[in-house]
């Protein structure tokens, strides 16, 4: 079984001995290389394979044909002409402030020049780049390839820090602006980043920059399609099915629910988060791997700056210019920032209005993002822990729901998007309904409850499964419906059946949320003994009502 290349961003390490899983993306690279644009730019979320892409391009342009003998590009007519390559990785550069940035770039260029056999002068970072490119052009008698990884790291690190941010913007504008003056000495230029800041020089016209971020041609160049995932990770998927003793379809559905859903263009082409997919294959259980690797504190901070009601997270319809052209250093557009950083993705495209509908890409992002907001806007939720646990254990639920309602009243309006009745479906929950699931899940976790979401059964998925010492709660959440309907669905699909005969009573709990009051709008419960017989009913007007059965 091939090893998983978690954290490996060097294509030679992955391909050299054929011991690592590799999803071949070289057909996309060939298409880029044979294109006629002088500059390319690609924005993708962090940990989405940008650094590996840059490293792969470098090896192709160095003419390292033998490395790619198992890849599609090896069997094409590409001539493998070697070119001098300048690879600038801003993750290796000090970005604390403007002075550190300038000096670190100059040191980086000096080190790079020596490795390439030339000596340069660096009065400024921009002049050092010009000197390096011109000397390489003269020494090797070939045009130079320039590859820049994470160009925007200095900006993202210093958001909100004026005047440092403006000083950094000026340095980057001069640095990248130098490339435009060296067009005749360049063979190919490719830049990656998380965001597109339109006041950085390469993004100012006229410069012939080809931004392929939302180009359908390259929509699946990073990330894994479902077909790629099934083929490349077949042995790992089989191992998971054996260890969990489930069907392959169930494992694939789990991976899809948690990590698929990223869409970067008007074309309905979806990819899986590559980092989280690798971590799942290794640890064999779904968790928020990508999200946990870097919390979006800057996003929460930006969201706090917007007036109530301005940003309903899952009813956004925006134009392409709003998504890609409005992120300036001075005035960031939070919708564009959330899309570019991977916390929102394209749900649908209206060709007539040329508008994109945005949503959370998958359960990993939805659950973790709402959890971050819960910590931000309900910091005192843990103080309800003892009260809520006692209420759940005793099945006197009024104090529990009072705590939930009190906490939800402190959340910002924009988190609760309005649900239209026609979006409701008996078969599936809408994206907006799932947001309410995640809000409740985050609050229960904050209270210290033992709770899991979207628990699979052979008839569907349990919205929330909550365990106390003596009870198992099966919770179904509805929006724009009724608590009765929620309870009915639990019975109809037998969600409680796997938890009978385990020595614990089972509580079936149906909840209904209202998008008008943005809070719980009704609940009903039914208590079963460990064999499934009804003991009592629960409702908001009277905690216990003896069964007449």
């Amino acid at each position: 079984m091939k090893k998983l290349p978690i954290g490996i961003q060097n294509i030679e390490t992955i391909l050299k001995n054929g011991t690592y899983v590799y999803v071949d993306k070289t057909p996309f690279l060939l298409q880029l290389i044979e294109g006629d644009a002088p500059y390319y730019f690609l924005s993708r979320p962090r940990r989405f394979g940008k650094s590996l892409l840059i490293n792969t391009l470098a090896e192709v342009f160095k003419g390292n044909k033998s490395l790619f003998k198992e890849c599609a590009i090896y069997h094409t007519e590409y001539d493998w002409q070697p070119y001098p390559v300048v690879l600038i990785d801003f993750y290796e550069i000090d970005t604390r402030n403007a002075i550190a940035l300038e000096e670190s770039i100059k040191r980086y260029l000096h080190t790079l020049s020596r490795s390439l056999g030339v000596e340069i002068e660096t009065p400024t970072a921009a002049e050092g780049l010009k000197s390096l490119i011109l000397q390489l052009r003269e020494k090797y008698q070939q045009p130079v390839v320039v590859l820049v990884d994470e160009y925007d790291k200095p900006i993202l690190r210093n958001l909100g820090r004026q005047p440092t941010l403006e000083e950094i913007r000026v340095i980057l504008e001069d640095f990248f602006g130098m490339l435009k003056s060296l067009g005749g000495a360049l063979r190919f230029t490719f830049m990656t980043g998380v965001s597109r800041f339109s006041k950085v020089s390469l993004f100012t016209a006229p410069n012939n920059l080809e931004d392929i971020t939302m180009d359908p041609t390259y929509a699946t160049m990073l990330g894994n399609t479902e077909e790629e995932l099934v083929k490349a990770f077949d042995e790992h998927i089989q191992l998971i099915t054996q260890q969990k003793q489930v069907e392959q379809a169930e494992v694939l559905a789990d991976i899809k629910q948690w990590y698929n859903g990223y869409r970067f263009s008007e074309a309905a082409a979806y990819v899986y988060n590559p980092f989280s997919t690798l971590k799942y294959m290794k640890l064999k259980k779904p968790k928020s791997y990508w999200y946990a690797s870097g919390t979006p504190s800057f996003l929460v901070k930006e969201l706090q700056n917007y007036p109530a009601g301005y940003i309903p997270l899952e009813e956004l319809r925006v134009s392409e210019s709003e998504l890609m052209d409005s992120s300036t250093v001075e005035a960031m557009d939070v919708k564009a920032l959330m899309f570019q950083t991977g916390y929102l993705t394209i749900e649908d495209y209206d060709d007539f209005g040329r508008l994109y509908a945005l949503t959370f890409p998958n359960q990993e992002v939805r659950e973790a993002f709402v959890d971050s907001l819960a910590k931000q806007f309900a910091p005192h939720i843990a103080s309800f822990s003892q009260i809520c646990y006692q209420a759940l254990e005793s099945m006197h639920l009024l104090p529990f729901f009072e705590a939930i309602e009190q906490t939800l009243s402190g959340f910002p309006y924009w988190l609760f998007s309005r649900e239209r009745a026609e979006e409701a479906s008996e078969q599936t929950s809408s994206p907006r309904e799932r947001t309410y699931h995640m809000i409740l899940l985050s609050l229960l976790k904050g209270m210290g409850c033992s709770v899991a979401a979207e628990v699979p059964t052979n008839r569907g998925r349990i919205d929330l499964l909550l365990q106390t010492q003596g009870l198992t709660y099966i919770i179904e959440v509805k929006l724009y419906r009724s608590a009765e309907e929620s309870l009915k669905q639990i019975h109809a699909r037998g969600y409680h059946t796997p938890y009978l005969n385990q020595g614990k009573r089972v509580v079936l709990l149906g909840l209904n949320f209202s998008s008008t009051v943005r809070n719980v709008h009704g609940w009903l419960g039914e208590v079963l003994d460990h064999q499934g017989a009804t003991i009592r009913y629960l409702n908001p007007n009277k905690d216990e009502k003896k069964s007449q059965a």
Side-chain angles (χ1 to χ4, degrees), residues 320-358:
E320 182 172 337
S321 63
E322 288 180 281
L323 287 180
M324 295 307 302
D325 294 337
S326 58
S327 285
T328 68
V329 174
E330 295 83 359
M332 302 190 66
D333 185 283
V334 73
K335 300 183 294 297
L337 188 60
M338 289 189 69
F339 170 71
Q340 293 171 18
T341 52
Y343 298 106
L344 291 177
T345 197
I346 296 169
E347 181 179 28
D348 194 18
Y349 176 69
D350 176 8
D351 189 52
F352 179 78
R354 297 183 180 181
L355 294 176
Y356 295 86
L358 303 183

Side-chain angles (χ1 to χ4, degrees), residues 38-39 124-134 137 144 146 172-187 189 201-202 204 206-208:
Y39 311 103
T124 66
E127 290 173 304
L129 179 63
K130 179 179 181 180
S131 175
L132 176 59
I133 291 172
L134 292 179
R137 176 72 173 88
V144 179
V146 176
L172 294 179
E173 183 173 15
D174 291 344
F175 186 73
F176 294 123
M178 189 62 72
L179 292 174
K180 292 192 292 183
S181 70
L182 297 169
L186 299 177
R187 163 66 176 88
T189 301
S201 184
L202 270 183
T204 57
N207 57 21
N208 300 315

Side-chain angles (χ1 to χ4, degrees), residues 156-174:
L156 292 175
R157 179 172 180 176
N158 291 282
L159 287 177
R161 296 182 59 203
Q162 293 289 10
T164 298
L165 191 60
E166 174 60 19
E167 294 168 352
I168 285 174
R169 186 194 67 80
V170 171
I171 291 172
L172 294 179
E173 183 173 15
D174 291 344

